[in-house]
Amino acid sequence: MAALPRSLSSIVVSVVGLAIFLIFASLLLISSPISSTVRGYFYGIDRKVDVVISSLEQSSDENMHSNNLDYMHKNSSSGSNLEVPTSSNNDKNAILTDKSPSDGIKVPVSSSGSESELKKNETVEKSPRSIGKEGTSASSAMSSATKNGSVESVGCDLYHGNWFYDPLRPVYTNNSCPVLTQMQNCQGNGRPDKDYENWRWKPFHCDLPRFDAKKFLELMRGKTLAFVGDSVARNQMESLLCLLWQVEVPKNRGNRKMQRWYFRSTSVMIVRIWSSWLVHQTSEKLDFAPEGVVKLHLDVPDETFMEFIPNFDVIVISSGHWFAKQSVYVLNNEIVGGQLWWPHHSHPMKVNNIEAFGMSVDTSLTAIATHPNFTGLTIVRSFSPDHYEGGAWNTGGSCTGKVNPLAPGELVENGFTNIMHKKQVAGFERASKKVTNRSKLRLMDITEIFSYRHDGHPGPYRNPDPNKITKRDRDGRPPPQDCLHWCMPGPVDTWNELVLEIIRREFEGEESVLS
């Protein structure tokens, strides 16, 4: 009986201790819930992550020998090794940590998550309201408050909207990117106005995000993107390099057959292959076509890029303008037509240059879409409009003095651009129906958008010659000029904003919508 009080006191002490423990544990869980720990364990947040970069396996460059160079590439600095050291640490297995405070972490959120959790996991880019050129309020600049992968974003039409003046552009300058071709270096060539650099594209029903170089490199981690096509493809490739150059200096691993730029932090490779017509070409004598005239085999894809496509994850196709050049058209080894060449004037041609362009698109895209070893994404950039007024490029056409985009009611229809676009879309649609592999074909339809941007071409500012002619003479004749390619920086940078959005939708969209 004497021990009873001690037993009761022990029980009381134990109960009080347990109560204190439970209260403390409850407070701890409220301040740091277990769900946060579990989410951090599975999704990699709420903890520091070190990224170890592995070296890329060396390619057999010595096996690539070709003289098939870009006819306008002689003035480009892209062929030289422009690698600049970014760190004193040369360790191939260096550990990189990203200290940028503006980078958010995007986490898949289940449909059962609360509204507060959704808001917590959104990444919001704060950007000032865009002001129109006249000082009035215009479309607001892109805010990434629109959820990545939302149904609205994934399904939104990117190709109908407005151009608006954005004082935050451009992302780079002609002096901060060493790879742009001199012919597109408009400021370096003395162009006096700069407003053409500031206009941004805004779709009607959604936002086109600003180009995010870190986002691009992360989405493309360990992958290769290849630009295939003509000098306009080179124009776009250099734009992408300039945009990426602002966050990382790539290593030049190119050769005469293929330009290649390697971004070490994410093992991303940007490639460009010259293919002016996208189909097989020969110069040997064929039937009544003499040696030296280019013969285009419209039913055979260009092997100069087809042999490499299994190594690519994303392909951006560009073509069309070379079909204005002299060539002979061949189907089943039979001559069926030509451009600026046809000796049998008494016999009508079966295929003209417009039809030939449509066939080349069908042939090249079908070859990609049915290739047994290609499972990537092919983006077909639609026909890039030129803006020669009063004549063609070689007959006095001009875009001299154009400094602002056309207003919606000012657009003058270009019959050649329209029919080339129509034939290209038809070829794309035919190829899309033939897909037999696991690859995807997507059309990036920029033709109408860029019909308004007659201000974005170099015009007479094609070279740094201080004595070049930039104005019309007394007879009204314009100076020699380029109204086909695009100034850099300039409207062409929008193409890569669209490419990034297409890639994001393909790589993230389905996962984000389903999560």
Side-chain angles (χ1 to χ4, degrees), residues 416-479:
F416 181 73
T417 293
N418 289 346
I419 191 63
M420 290 292 277
H421 175 257
K422 181 179 179 180
K423 290 297 180 182
Q424 183 183 33
V425 171
F428 170 85
E429 290 176 347
R430 288 194 299 270
S432 297
K433 297 176 182 178
K434 304 172 187 176
V435 176
T436 58
N437 57 21
R438 291 182 293 154
S439 68
K440 297 178 181 179
L441 289 177
R442 297 291 181 265
L443 179 66
M444 193 175 89
D445 199 348
I446 58 87
T447 304
E448 180 180 349
I449 299 174
F450 278 76
S451 294
Y452 292 92
R453 295 309 309 271
H454 63 167
D455 60 317
H457 302 291
Y461 300 98
R462 304 181 303 162
N463 60 67
D465 180 6
N467 299 316
K468 60 179 173 291
I469 301 172
T470 60
K471 298 181 179 179
R472 295 178 182 272
D473 62 19
R474 293 181 179 180
D475 297 331
R477 288 178 296 181

Side-chain angles (χ1 to χ4, degrees), residues 180-191:
L180 62 89
T181 299
Q182 188 63 49
M183 290 184 68
Q184 278 77 69
N185 185 358
C186 298
Q187 291 299 305
N189 293 337
R191 180 166 172 171

Side-chain angles (χ1 to χ4, degrees), residues 28 104 153 158 176 188 325 355 417 425:
L28 181 63
S153 177
L158 296 171
S176 67
K325 293 181 174 288
E355 295 290 341
T417 293
V425 171

Side-chain angles (χ1 to χ4, degrees), residues 104-122:
I105 304 175
K106 297 177 178 60
V107 182
V109 181
S110 66
S111 58
S112 60
S114 66
E115 182 178 352
S116 61
E117 283 182 304
L118 287 173
K119 291 181 179 179
K120 180 180 179 180
N121 289 319
E122 287 178 312

Side-chain angles (χ1 to χ4, degrees), residues 161-183:
N162 290 315
W163 290 98
F164 72 97
Y165 190 83
D166 181 4
L168 298 181
R169 287 175 85 95
V171 175
Y172 63 94
T173 70
N174 62 307
N175 292 320
S176 67
C177 181
V179 294
L180 62 89
T181 299
Q182 188 63 49
M183 290 184 68

Side-chain angles (χ1 to χ4, degrees), residues 4 38 46 60 73 107 145 153 256 318 345 350 363 444 507:
L4 181 60
V38 173
D46 299 328
S60 54
H73 188 60
V107 182
S153 177
R256 300 187 71 186
S318 167
H345 299 293
K350 298 178 182 178
T363 295
M444 193 175 89
F507 291 5

